[in-house]
Amino acid sequence: MDTKVSTPRSYDSQYDLDVGDLVEKERIHRRVFADQDVFEQEMDQIFGKSWIYVGHESQVPNPGDYFSTQVGRQPVVMTRHKNGEIYVLENRCPHKGALVCPDRNGTAKHFMCMYHGWRFDGDGSLISVPVQSGYDGTEFNVKDPKNGMRQLPRVHNHHGFVFASLSPEGLDFKTWAGEGLRGLDNLIDRSPSGELEVIGNCYRTVQNSNWKIFLDNMSDGMHTSFVHHQMARAAQRTLEKFKGRARPGGLDVAAMLAGEPDQMAKIDLVAHPHGHFDMAAFAPELTGEDGEHYKAALIARHGADKAAAVLKQNFHNVMMFPTLVMQQSLQQMRVLRPISVDKTALEIWVFRFKGAPDSFTRRAITGGNLANSPSNVVAADDFEAYFRVHQGLKGPQSEWISLHREANRDVQVGEGSFKGATGNSEVCMRNMYKAWREYMTAETTRREI
Ligand code: FES
Ligand SMILES: [Fe+2]
């Protein structure tokens, strides 16, 4: 008889671990999710270095428009300057550091800090300082426009999708995005005009859990049959009433979530370098007159072969680590903004494909409401699961969580990408934490102070 028992390590023993020891090939230490020091390092090593999604240029369509958000913990504001260019600025006054734009979005001829009235242009340039004579003979040059709100060191606009990095160094955007870009490009290609625009404002929710628990769930095919079971069965019954008619957005997807694990297993999951992944399937059928119009418009733009390829490349979820999750078929994008080790904000943006039938836009809005509104029937169940995971991981005695599902059955596809043996594989999670480890153990790129 085997008399060995596993003895939990003491609480203190965990602090002997190096951050690189917290991620193994098939298991993850609970401190990755529940430790304040780890969170601080993530803000430096991941959110301070990687490319972070800021927003879409349609959120600032006209000169003077701005949208404020955060890159890591840095408050930023995306602006449309009078020259038509988009800038991403630190949302911080160079005088005493006050937030210059406290509102989420708006339009302003200039920015004026409310504390002592310094004024800035849309590119951050310092325009004026009240009672300038007070700076005569000092080291601060009030006449130098560069002494204004700082521009983030790196900004990349990918066909309207604006990303920024707090670090002047690191991988260029295309190298960082790599294969992860095919999901974003597919979203853009699905617009008959090649242009998208956000519809209204976003839903903003706060999850009481660590930011990675949400990302981890995005490739978790197994949970749907359990977490979403009741909602999905109701969606299936509703779907039957729409036979042969245009269906409300998201209903097909909601109904699919009722699938048994062996059905979810048929979904393709592909993990890419730098933590990105894509999950196939779940595209709504293009039926009826509007569907035919849409297909014809796509063919007019791309030609028949490419249009067919764009539509065939069905993605349910595409994740670009660490902040962006897209759902092409629902025309929506979820953007993660960590608040603290146990709180995560999520922005959910719904897009209009310019040139697509209005029914596509209505369907996208309905789908967005179904999955994300305060009365939604999908995310609320997920949030409860995330909360329970985070609560369970706070306990220090049991240290590891499992990523063993279908490990060692991953299939390499292309250079550095891996496909899960089935759609129930945890391949994308293993890949994400591998990337996490690479970020966290790399040399820190610090800006000069
Ligand atoms: S803090 Fe902004 S003007 Fe003083
Ligand atoms: Fe879910």
Side-chain angles (χ1 to χ4, degrees):
M1 184 177 141
D2 186 357
T3 55
K4 276 193 290 187
V5 290
S6 61
T7 308
R9 293 192 199 180
S10 73
Y11 184 81
D12 284 340
S13 77
Q14 296 173 33
Y15 288 87
D16 297 337
L17 292 173
D18 183 82
V19 72
D21 298 331
L22 300 178
V23 171
E24 296 182 355
K25 198 161 161 248
E26 298 173 12
R27 63 177 197 163
I28 310 289
H29 197 279
R30 65 161 207 93
R31 285 183 59 200
V32 169
F33 306 92
D35 188 296
Q36 184 65 39
D37 292 340
V38 170
F39 181 79
E40 298 294 333
Q41 282 194 48
E42 287 175 334
M43 292 301 105
D44 269 357
Q45 295 286 90
I46 302 176
F47 288 83
K49 294 166 84 173
S50 185
W51 286 96
I52 305 297
Y53 179 67
V54 178
H56 189 261
E57 64 180 13
S58 63
Q59 291 168 246
V60 287
N62 301 308
D65 291 346
Y66 65 88
F67 163 69
S68 59
T69 183
Q70 63 191 78
V71 170
R73 276 183 297 196
Q74 174 64 50
V76 301
V77 55
M78 177 171 75
T79 66
R80 175 82 69 171
H81 190 35
K82 58 193 174 206
N83 64 7
E85 294 293 316
I86 288 176
Y87 290 89
V88 182
L89 313 173
E90 291 182 3
N91 190 357
R92 176 192 186 283
C93 178
H95 183 212
K96 304 276 188 205
L99 273 186
V100 177
C101 301
D103 299 333
R104 290 282 179 200
N105 55 282
T107 306
K109 196 167 169 207
H110 299 122
F111 297 119
M112 188 179 83
C113 178
M114 60 83 77
Y115 203 3
H116 310 94
W118 290 25
R119 288 195 309 147
F120 310 95
D121 221 335
D123 62 353
S125 305
L126 182 61
I127 298 174
S128 65
V129 171
V131 199
Q132 286 191 13
S133 56
Y135 291 89
D136 290 349
T138 73
E139 290 178 2
F140 191 82
N141 181 359
V142 291
K143 299 227 170 76
D144 186 350
K146 291 203 191 72
N147 282 333
M149 295 163 73
R150 282 173 53 167
Q151 296 175 6
L152 262 60
R154 291 190 297 163
V155 176
H156 183 87
N157 184 340
H158 187 76
H159 303 291
F161 292 85
V162 178
F163 294 78
S165 172
L166 293 173
S167 170
E169 294 165 14
L171 297 178
D172 64 88
F173 177 80
K174 284 259 165 71
T175 308
W176 165 80
E179 284 294 302
L181 207 51
R182 66 192 190 124
L184 182 55
D185 285 341
N186 182 259
L187 182 66
I188 297 162
D189 287 342
R190 280 173 176 262
S191 169
S193 62
E195 289 182 59
L196 292 90
E197 63 181 6
V198 296
I199 302 171
N201 212 323
C202 66
Y203 281 116
R204 187 172 280 105
T205 61
V206 175
Q207 303 163 8
N208 290 312
S209 48
N210 184 264
W211 61 277
K212 296 179 297 299
I213 297 172
F214 165 76
L215 288 187
D216 190 297
N217 173 266
M218 291 298 98
S219 66
D220 187 330
M222 277 299 293
H223 84 285
T224 58
S225 311
F226 302 94
V227 168
H228 302 298
H229 179 79
Q230 290 184 331
M231 176 280 302
R233 284 286 148 84
Q236 276 183 333
R237 287 195 294 274
T238 309
L239 198 57
E240 282 163 20
K241 295 182 190 162
F242 282 88
K243 275 220 165 84
R245 290 187 291 142
R247 275 117 53 175
L251 196 55
D252 304 72
V253 175
M256 284 294 283
L257 295 177
E260 298 302 321
D262 59 348
Q263 192 180 346
M264 301 301 292
K266 294 176 191 151
I267 294 168
D268 282 346
L269 279 177
V270 186
H272 303 297
H274 310 304
H276 316 312
F277 74 78
D278 44 67
M279 171 194 266
F282 288 159
E285 278 176 62
L286 293 172
T287 53
E289 210 176 309
D290 280 353
E292 292 308 319
H293 279 149
Y294 172 70
K295 274 192 251 183
L298 274 197
I299 290 169
R301 174 168 175 236
H302 295 301
D305 289 350
K306 183 167 176 196
V310 166
L311 291 174
K312 192 168 168 232
Q313 197 170 42
N314 287 335
F315 292 118
H316 175 58
N317 269 347
V318 173
M319 191 268 276
M320 294 176 83
F321 185 79
T323 57
L324 191 56
V325 180
M326 295 163 267
Q327 291 188 287
Q328 278 77 352
S329 57
L330 295 179
Q331 299 172 214
Q332 79 174 22
M333 189 171 259
R334 287 175 278 186
V335 186
L336 176 156
R337 315 275 186 202
I339 298 171
S340 61
V341 66
D342 59 357
K343 270 204 194 326
T344 305
L346 196 65
E347 297 167 1
I348 303 107
W349 299 93
V350 179
F351 287 84
R352 181 198 330 273
F353 290 152
K354 280 191 179 174
D358 287 345
S359 61
F360 277 55
T361 303
R362 286 197 298 276
R363 192 175 61 191
I365 293 169
T366 313
N369 291 342
L370 180 82
N372 307 298
S373 73
S375 57
N376 83 80
V377 293
V378 181
D381 291 333
D382 288 313
F383 284 18
E384 176 64 18
Y386 308 160
F387 175 71
R388 291 190 195 188
V389 169
H390 196 99
Q391 291 303 304
L393 292 175
K394 277 159 76 175
Q397 290 302 312
S398 295
E399 299 180 38
W400 297 92
I401 65 163
S402 162
L403 293 182
H404 296 83
R405 176 171 282 280
E406 298 181 11
N408 295 329
R409 289 164 59 189
D410 304 340
V411 182
Q412 182 154 5
V413 285
E415 203 177 318
S417 295
F418 290 87
K419 189 171 167 200
T422 78
N424 291 326
S425 170
E426 288 172 345
V427 59
C428 298
M429 302 172 205
R430 290 187 286 273
N431 182 63
M432 181 175 94
Y433 293 111
K434 180 167 165 272
W436 182 91
R437 189 178 184 281
E438 285 164 5
Y439 275 109
M440 293 290 277
T441 55
E443 284 295 304
T444 306
T445 307
R446 293 199 184 279
R447 284 194 271 167
E448 283 183 24
I449 52 172

